[in-house]
Amino acid sequence: MKALRLTAWQSDPEMQEIPVPEPGPGEVLIRIGGAGACHSDLHLLHEWTPEIMPPLASWKLPMTLGHENAGWIEAGDLDGYPYLEQGAPVVVSLTWNCGVCASCRVGATNYCEVTQEAGGLGFDGGMAEFMVAPIESLVPLKDLEPWMAAPLTDAALTPYHAVKRSIPRLTPDATVVVIGVGGLGHMAVQLLREMCASRIIALDIDEDALALASEVGADICLPSDEAAAEEIRKATGGLGAMVVLDFVGINPTLETARQAARQRGEIVIVGIGGGALPVQFGALPYACSVVTTYGGSTGELAEVVAMAEAGRISPHIETFGLDEAADVYERLHRNEITGRAVIRP
Ligand code: NAD
Ligand code: ZN
């Protein structure tokens, strides 16, 4: 089968011909119906090495890319899993986990103490015709086609997890800022619409992204520049935003977050842009928390799937063939994708 693979650190991906993998005990073979192209893959392809990112030390290359995966169960022993059957459409969780550590025991499987590796992130992923995944990582689909559901596994799950943990601060009188309205950010706006009654301000450098933000429910859309924080302060009577979700994470966006955040507020850093935020007395509004989040749990993925099946959230998708996958990453790099690009092998 064809698979788009990372063959060496800091290199472009290569399309290779590899054997169809065989599922082991507790695993299934998935026929891929959709694989989303996430910006994290650009960091993975061009920036990271095991020295910069120590968890990568245990990853074996070559590795098939793609960690936003959905498809149909093709093979595997499903004895004892009455909710799954051969041919059933499923999404694959963003993080795989041990199931028994303290985090897994409370359902925080994305913070498993043993492993955070998964398909496309340490194991072979879904930019291929088939992939192997643990049965526990699957969430069944009802009406959604796999290609429509693929972005739910990260582009929706990751902001869902971030928003859910900030819900106590997201009161109806509060303002929340979304910085970066790409794959994750455009889902964040929709999720905020569904999950709270706070006013939503969206920031981006791209006009199409801001138009999409407005279309999916942002109340105010602003260019992401040096004036943005001042605009947010003006719009909040000088108080600032109770929650700032940064889906870019570079120095200028973190600085906007710092200047726009409100006392008792929260800055949530989801973007992996490599920027830094000074945490120091006086540098941040009083009692303002700063937190980074990673993905979401498999339980949260089931919640996200349920919302999407009910038509309450809907990824804005551009589809491409597997042969176009390398080109899709180029486009993503040039910021030419609006919403999420999904590969349909
Ligand atoms: P994307 O490329 O789809 O979207 C990025 C958006 O940010 C684009 O709309 C772009 O115009 C905008 N942008 C770029 N520079 C900006 C700036 N200075 N101010 C405001 N907007 C700006 O990316 P994505 O797939 O949504 O991923 C976003 C980030 O989240 C990436 O860094 C990715 O690696 C990271 N990520 C983190 C997790 C996690 O678990 N923490 C999971 C998935 C992705
Ligand atoms: Zn991702």
Side-chain angles (χ1 to χ4, degrees):
M1 66 170 188
K2 281 185 193 160
L4 187 75
R5 312 193 90 195
L6 175 64
T7 57
W9 301 116
Q10 294 181 328
S11 67
D12 287 326
E14 273 178 46
M15 190 65 81
Q16 294 187 333
E17 190 68 31
I18 60 168
V20 174
E22 282 188 22
E27 295 177 342
V28 288
L29 181 69
I30 309 280
R31 178 188 290 276
I32 297 294
C38 177
H39 202 109
S40 296
D41 288 331
L42 295 181
H43 300 306
L44 173 59
L45 287 166
H46 304 136
E47 295 162 27
W48 295 342
T49 63
E51 289 73 43
I52 298 169
M53 203 47 93
L56 270 54
S58 60
W59 295 19
K60 283 191 198 69
L61 301 186
M63 179 196 80
T64 305
L65 292 168
H67 56 262
E68 277 194 353
N69 303 311
W72 300 270
I73 298 175
E74 177 84 4
D77 181 3
L78 294 169
D79 223 24
Y81 294 93
Y83 295 108
L84 297 170
E85 60 186 17
Q86 190 95 1
V90 291
V91 290
V92 181
S93 191
L94 172 65
T95 52
W96 299 352
N97 56 90
C98 80
V100 288
C101 73
S103 292
C104 287
R105 284 294 186 224
V106 296
T109 54
N110 50 322
Y111 300 124
C112 177
E113 308 288 350
V114 178
T115 178
Q116 271 141 16
E117 290 175 6
L121 298 167
F123 298 107
D124 284 334
M127 293 277 169
E129 290 161 72
F130 296 93
M131 77 178 279
V132 159
I135 294 174
E136 282 83 356
S137 74
L138 306 179
V139 174
L141 296 171
K142 287 193 200 90
D143 301 325
L144 282 176
E145 296 260 352
W147 68 269
M148 298 171 175
L152 301 177
T153 62
D154 180 6
L157 174 65
T158 299
Y160 180 71
H161 171 67
V163 170
K164 197 176 169 184
R165 60 173 300 296
S166 293
I167 280 296
R169 284 184 167 91
L170 293 170
T171 51
D173 60 335
T175 295
V176 52
V177 175
V178 173
I179 306 180
V181 193
L184 272 67
H186 90 289
M187 295 311 301
V189 171
Q190 297 182 47
L191 289 159
L192 285 162
R193 266 276 154 270
E194 285 296 317
M195 295 164 72
C196 72
S198 302
R199 188 169 49 152
I200 304 166
I201 301 181
L203 264 50
D204 205 291
I205 51 168
D206 182 78
E207 275 180 24
D208 293 340
L210 287 174
L212 180 59
S214 170
E215 195 182 305
V216 297
D219 298 294
I220 301 174
C221 299
L222 298 171
S224 180
D225 56 23
E226 279 142 37
E230 189 54 37
E231 290 297 319
I232 293 164
R233 291 225 159 258
K234 265 189 222 155
T236 53
L239 294 174
M242 198 47 117
V243 176
V244 181
L245 298 157
D246 186 348
F247 293 101
V248 183
I250 56 176
N251 282 331
T253 58
L254 291 171
E255 181 58 17
T256 297
R258 187 181 78 83
Q259 290 179 18
R262 181 176 176 172
Q263 295 189 113
R264 298 182 292 111
E266 185 161 52
I267 297 170
V268 186
I269 305 171
V270 181
I272 316 181
L277 184 64
V279 176
Q280 185 185 24
F281 201 95
L284 289 164
Y286 292 125
C288 178
S289 303
V290 178
V291 65
T292 59
T293 63
Y294 182 61
S297 70
T298 307
E300 288 170 331
L301 177 58
E303 293 166 14
V304 166
V305 167
M307 290 173 76
E309 294 271 13
R312 291 163 60 186
I313 56 168
S314 175
H316 181 283
I317 294 174
E318 284 182 60
T319 61
F320 299 87
L322 187 53
D323 287 333
E324 297 171 290
D327 182 47
V328 165
Y329 283 114
E330 293 285 325
R331 290 195 199 196
L332 192 62
H333 183 63
R334 293 195 300 266
N335 210 12
E336 289 172 8
I337 302 286
T338 304
R340 194 50 127 202
V342 171
I343 305 303
R344 294 182 72 176

